[in-house]
């Protein structure tokens, strides 16, 4: 597999690190960005044989089999259209579009061209995520009721992120796209996202877009997907997922508390931990960022999919759904009420909401709760099916009220 | 100080444990509940000299100086009115009322009677909370932007909680009252809570009230107080607070991960950890529940306040504000939009919202972000004050775009 | 109870905080230290009515019922003898003596005088310790095989600690006395400590005594008590216990990771967390140090014991055993071999070491291990009772070797 | 690179998983084990084209470039000698030998044959270890004083481990070899390990070898390497490293607490977490075991080394040093005193122990400690260079004694 990378910024370097890792048989053959000087430096660092400053030229190059789009959000559409035109599989960084309309164009373009459109949602490929998702699918936590994902840090590194025009929004489009897709995976991709309630505000930075946001996404089966995002968090990068099911709980922490703790007075050397806000005191690095943040598994899945002529786990369709949910979130932040998720061409389940059935205690009662008393005996709280009256059943059954 | 306890259930026993702890000079002289048998058992266990099954009789007893109300929510008002009539200080468990109207009656009654009305919000007295609140007030994390509190467990122990009529609601009134007051303390009690957006649903239990809810409370200064509550959480009792400020972060965990970890095969004995869902596997107890959940500091504050003729940290007025916020939350869950918090007699700041001022980089630019490069040099992202254009300032300042 | 405190330094203030907490009925009536100015300041701060600079005068004062010794190690013996002479119960800070000979004198003095001699080993009274010890005694982790306790920090606050003459040693006598008694409680106070192997070295500070030490204490039942102590640890105060039993595990963390996490840029204010090495970055305070480090429960136990004419949980006899074990540790550090623990008047079990019996698989085999295969079937590893041959029993039982 | 694997058991499968991961360009071309049926199954699962049941045949096969030895300890020597004879690079699992004599034969054989002898010490290649080791080398924690490594679990999976003859010992040779090499890396491979003190005992299982052991390894520069190993730990697999330096601290947790927490009632499905002792309650899996336990980075280093004609980070020489240290540990467990580490052909530094120099406070005094008082002023503890007298320097400098 011969790879072209479009873009030479932060994320391009991250991708290159990942592609270069562990003696892969995939190689980067092309690097393309507008700034010729940066392209040159990148090519030297990662030993890339061909370079370009023109996107169409890069995509069309005969030594390019697949294209990785690592450009600012406002350039995704143009790049994807070029790939569709050239008939080359395209892997696009997140978010897919600045909004659902852009994402839909990209989705339609790759499907019409008959090429793979891979959505580079790395956080849906972290080892912890993959293993916990498999557990959820095997039923380890029962039915998922609530799936929260949180990503907060002190703000992005490149200037274009801070431009609402170029990015399509602020921290919500930048970080919320991760969170939305993580929750959606846990709840089930076949379940329709129905409506969104969102708060978003610009609290700290002198920008037009939001730098803090919280949203609730309601799914057809009643489950709630929640996102919490911020560009003003202090203390490093907080990346956590929490899932509540009827039979269990999952807590994932991808940064800050992963079993790697380092204290330094700062006197010993010039050590600077990445993403830390300081180079002294207690620091919480991640062992192998590329791998633990999902990049290795993501690219393996993408390339295997292309090789085998099938779809990867995260596709342009998923990217489109995420954009549609975020569109609803922005609408809700403005209207201050729940806003419907507008999806064209939903491919999941019909999602007639099913009424939940409750466990019966006996013919006349539902069981609300069963509790073990210190004595080892069970205490039950039941509800009469007809009257709705709530009663308790204790071992020695003497009814009382004053508690 | 001679104390009467009204109620003999779970929380009454918890209070009694707390009052009895550490050779206190305060003693319980009266126990009153409707069930004579339970009263008798309670009196024997805690060596209480006087008993009653009639509330007014208990309150009026000459050996009673102060009354602790540990009754179901629907009986708070009656008990408080009895105390007001008798002119005896009253400490009432949370929530104060089933709604703001009830709470307001109680507030007005104690203020008219000139007695102390203490609001027994134990989680605003945990050692961790008190110490972190003091840090926040000293400015350790700058301006508070967001204060979240979460309380989830598999559901309450007594039957009355599950009755919407008796409790005034479900997990939101039961657990949300804690969370709301915790967030409000961190944000500042003088700051007006303006409006609430809330999702609430009955997902697991066969009850009329909500068993899961999430809410956002917007304050006049722009801060957000968030609550997450559930009666269907699996894995024990999850009690966590998270606070984000402009200059720092606070994470408190009051249960499940407090530095006490125990694994048992279950073969060794009959050990049952409280609030755990199991008596084998990894268990996470709390060392001294009474103390660490705030009961000791709470009663000390209450009794000191009564002795010294001043107000405790948590008063009926606070309980009323909490009820007003929760009323707005219930309204929002029904209307699906932000609902105003309706407060009669606001005693805080006027809270004209102030426009935030941003740090200038120079005469023409705001500073968005300053980042340390691996080289040790600083990279800056700035915004033009007039044009809004976002630009970067790098050490060797060669402008690029393609990242 | 009217209390005298001898000493006005760091630990005396800690004790005073603890005694003053939570409206106790016990009061401090006397403060005595050599420095009149310090005595005066202490008396003012804690409202102590009587003061003295002479120890015998303080002990003999009619308004003193019990004496708390909070003096440097080299003054314990003199103070205890004064109390014995005056016939007043005495509570002595840790370690009891600078060595077993001093401790034995103190033990004999209080026993001859017929007074309570309480050993103020606060870390054997922390809420986590008390609850986990109760679990161990109920059999939750089976037979204890190994009990480790670790206390490390950057070094003590007062000058006398650093003098080998005044303290009786370095970090081993200062911190190891805690660890030894914690392990001994978990293993069982009735079990004879037989011998000790210890490494101790002066690695960092310009002192004569050791600033780092690790020791193993072997008990008659085969259990190992381990201590790790240091005065050169960086990052705060590390206080952890780990216990391994045949049926379970206990991990206690009393500092640094107790569910209280605070990040501050340091710009927001002048907050300084106690025991932290810095006032910025990630800090890990403890909620209520006095309570969580055991002081509250310790004094309650001590005063209850005196009131009721019985022995507290930690007595001078325990302090003597600890000193005897530490004497063996110092001997081992010098001789570089295991050294016997020399105890005069052992009051525990005879401790004939019992041979362990192993679970049989059947008539001819012992069971070594039972493992669940992914298929759900069990794989067994067994050992022939006579030949000692180790074999496996697999579901479909095809013997193999090459693994 | 065409790879042969010798052995088809647990570790062979683990290696195969690792080699197959992430589209590597290295392929497994040969599998060899004594049991033809197992060989067949392995070849089918990992698509290995050639098989053998004879070791020499496998090694000599023309489609084999490098040999990975994944056999029981007693077969390492034979396999390595075969590789040396065939002149093929050999990568051998840990421990290298059952003792230093065996290891030395292997070392001499590969060096004489001029082939790479890679020591497959995976835990010295975990991402956390590699990153923290790099920090240590950059001086982030100053001089390393103590490096502890702990590996404990409920016992190994295959029968041969439990045979002292086949394994060369018990948990100490099995797990201690990891710990010794981890500590040695942190302290510095160039520093001579001088002597060892060790306790080892058979406490739980009906075996001849030890099932629990603790050891201290003293290095020429005064640093201590400590290992704690057990085959009777309950609760999963405990893999932790702790390093104390003069300017900092490192805590690594490779299992049980890595930011992946899952609670399941067990009702939801048949999920079984690996290495967990149960399939219900709180479970703590690792995200990607192969990667996080170091296998990926280990093989990459090994193959790169072979390709580039240089030595990998862990060589047979390292394996020999580890065996020599463990030999001393077994000797010490028997003799009950410190035993010298006997190394033939030490290649590190001469290691004349250097006397530590202490920071001076002024011409006459050493500085022992500097402490920040709550007032913000500094308190100093100093020691007179000649008299050894320890004194304090306080801001307002009034000398006192009674603390």
């Amino acid at each position: 597999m011969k790879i072209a990378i479009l873009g030479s910024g932060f994320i391009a370097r991250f991708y290159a690190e990942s592609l270069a890792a562990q003696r892969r048989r995939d190689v980067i053959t092309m690097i393309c960005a507008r700034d010729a000087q940066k392209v040159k430096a990148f090519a030297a660092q990662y030993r890339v044989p061909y370079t370009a400053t023109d996107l169409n030229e890069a995509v069309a190059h005969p030594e390019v089999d697949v294209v990785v789009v690592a450009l600012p959000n406002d350039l995704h559409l143009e790049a994807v259209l070029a790939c569709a035109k050239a008939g080359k599989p395209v892997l696009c960084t997140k978010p897919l579009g600045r909004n659902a309309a852009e994402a839909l164009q990209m989705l339609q373009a790759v499907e019409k061209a008959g090429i793979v459109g891979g959505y580079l949602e790395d956080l849906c490929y972290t080892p912890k995520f993959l293993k916990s998702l498999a557990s959820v699918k095997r039923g380890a936590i029962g039915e998922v009721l609530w799936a929260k994902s949180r990503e907060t840090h002190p703000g992005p590194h490149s200037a274009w992120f801070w431009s609402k025009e170029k990015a399509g929004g602020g921290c919500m489009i930048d970080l919320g796209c991760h969170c939305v897709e993580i929750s959606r995976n846990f709840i089930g991709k076949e379940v329709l996202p129905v409506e969104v309630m969102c708060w978003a505000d610009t609290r700290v930075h002198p920008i037009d877009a939001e730098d803090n946001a919280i949203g609730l996404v309601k799914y057809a089966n009643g489950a709630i997907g929640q996102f919490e995002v911020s560009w003003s968090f202090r203390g490093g990068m907080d990346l956590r997922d929490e899932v509540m099911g009827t039979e269990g709980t999952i807590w994932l922490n991808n940064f800050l508390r992963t079993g790697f703790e380092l204290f330094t007075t700062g006197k010993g050397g010039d050590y600077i931990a990445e993403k830390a806000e300081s180079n002294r005191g207690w620091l919480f690095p991640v062992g192998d960022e590329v791998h633990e943040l999902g990049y290795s598994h993501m690219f393996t899945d993408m390339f295997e999919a292309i090789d085998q002529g099938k779809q990867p786990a995260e596709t342009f369709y998923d990217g489109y759904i995420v954009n549609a949910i975020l569109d609803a979130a922005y609408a809700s932040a403005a209207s201050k009420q729940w806003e419907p998720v507008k999806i064209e061409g939903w491919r999941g389940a019909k999602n007639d909401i099913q009424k939940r059935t409750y466990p019966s205690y006996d013919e006349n009662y539902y069981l609300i709760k069963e509790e073990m008393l210190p004595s080892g005996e069970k205490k039950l709280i039941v509800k009469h099916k007809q009257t709705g009256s709530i009663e308790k059943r204790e071992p020695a059954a003497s009814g009382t009220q004053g508690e």
Side-chain angles (χ1 to χ4, degrees), chain A:
Chain A
M1 192 69 55
K2 297 156 185 170
I3 309 155
I5 291 188
L6 309 183
S8 66
F10 182 85
I11 192 70
R13 283 167 193 280
F14 220 95
Y15 287 170
E17 288 291 346
S18 178
L19 292 165
Q22 312 294 1
R23 294 165 56 85
R24 299 182 64 92
R25 63 180 189 242
D26 309 301
V27 293
I28 307 170
T29 51
M30 164 69 77
I31 176 70
C32 166
R34 294 196 206 170
D35 182 326
Q37 201 179 339
K38 287 208 160 185
V39 162
K40 200 172 157 188
F42 190 104
Q45 184 175 350
Y46 293 102
R47 305 186 187 191
V48 183
Y50 303 100
T51 65
T53 55
D54 177 79
L55 188 149
N56 286 288
E57 187 190 325
V59 168
H61 196 283
E63 284 299 301
V64 166
D65 296 331
V66 58
V67 179
V68 174
V69 179
L71 294 164
N73 298 352
D74 58 332
L75 303 176
H76 292 186
L77 178 58
E78 179 190 352
V80 167
L81 293 180
C83 294
K85 193 176 160 195
K88 295 197 179 171
V90 56
L91 312 179
C92 185
T93 192
K94 42 60 54 182
L96 186 56
R98 284 175 293 181
N99 50 55
E102 278 194 351
L104 188 58
Q105 276 191 73
M106 293 187 239
L107 171 60
Q108 289 168 341
V110 297
E111 298 201 336
K112 194 173 166 195
I115 56 173
V116 166
Y119 180 50
L120 296 176
E121 177 41 84
D122 54 287
L123 293 181
C124 292
Y125 286 99
T126 73
K128 285 172 186 166
F129 177 84
L130 292 175
K131 189 175 273 189
S132 56
L133 185 61
S135 297
V136 169
K137 292 202 177 304
R138 280 200 299 271
I141 66 166
E143 182 190 342
V144 171
L145 300 171
W146 176 80
K148 185 184 103 166
S149 181
R150 171 178 170 86
E151 179 164 0
T152 65
H153 59 54
H157 40 82
S158 294
W160 69 263
F161 282 98
W162 301 93
S163 157
K164 195 173 181 175
E165 167 59 22
K166 289 182 184 164
C171 65
M172 192 149 74
I173 192 84
D174 177 32
L175 308 177
C177 64
H178 288 302
C179 303
V180 162
E181 187 64 351
I182 287 168
S183 295
R184 192 179 154 243
N185 267 280
F186 280 122
I187 289 167
K189 284 190 175 181
E190 72 287 359
V191 186
L192 183 70
V194 178
E195 54 183 356
V196 182
M197 169 64 212
C198 174
W199 163 80
D201 203 352
T202 310
R203 297 298 322 281
V204 172
H205 300 290
I207 57 173
D208 300 322
E210 75 286 353
D211 57 15
N212 280 276
I214 301 171
L216 303 178
V217 183
K218 195 187 295 170
Y219 285 79
N221 65 355
I224 290 289
Q226 185 181 347
F227 60 81
E228 292 173 14
V229 293
S230 175
W231 279 350
S232 65
F233 177 77
R234 308 311 300 257
M237 179 156 74
D238 187 24
L239 265 180
R240 279 180 292 155
D241 305 325
E242 302 186 6
V243 190
M244 246 168 59
T246 51
E247 299 296 337
T249 296
I250 288 171
W251 290 342
L252 304 183
N253 197 327
N254 287 310
F255 233 97
L256 289 182
R257 300 293 183 272
T258 65
F260 191 159
E261 309 173 82
L262 186 151
F263 178 87
T264 172
T265 60
K267 287 180 199 160
D270 62 347
Y271 177 79
I272 295 172
E274 70 254 81
K275 310 246 178 207
E277 290 210 57
S278 152
N279 59 352
R280 59 174 62 195
W282 279 104
L283 306 170
F284 301 89
V286 164
D288 178 346
E289 222 171 295
V290 163
H291 189 86
E292 291 175 44
L293 294 188
Y295 292 90
S296 309
H297 287 293
M298 179 176 73
F299 280 116
T300 296
D301 178 50
M302 295 288 165
F303 294 145
E304 295 290 350
I306 294 169
D307 274 355
Q308 298 165 20
K310 58 178 194 181
Q311 291 294 313
E314 293 289 324
T315 68
F316 274 26
Y317 174 73
D318 297 305
Y320 165 59
I321 300 295
V322 169
N323 268 126
I325 291 171
L326 290 175
D327 278 5
Y330 279 110
S332 170
S335 73
K336 301 187 67 175
Q337 57 193 20
W338 288 86
E339 291 288 347
V341 181
K342 293 172 188 162
I343 296 172
E344 203 168 302
W346 170 247
R347 301 173 186 180
K350 280 187 207 168
N351 289 294
D352 297 328
I353 298 179
Q354 293 180 326
K355 192 148 174 51
R356 197 174 162 77
T357 54
Y358 299 109
S360 278
Y361 171 65
D362 61 16
E363 201 181 334
N364 296 317
Y365 286 91
Y366 291 122
L367 175 62
I368 291 185
K369 189 156 196 251
E370 180 180 319
E371 201 156 1
M372 189 76 80
L373 297 178
S375 63
E377 292 175 299
K378 280 180 192 168
K379 173 182 159 188
L380 302 170
I381 299 175
V382 297
K383 178 180 166 181
H384 197 279
K385 291 179 181 179
Q386 263 66 50
T387 67
S389 140
I390 289 169
E391 302 164 26
K392 68 184 156 190
R393 297 271 178 279
E394 274 184 299
S398 65
T400 58
Q401 284 167 290
E403 63 182 290

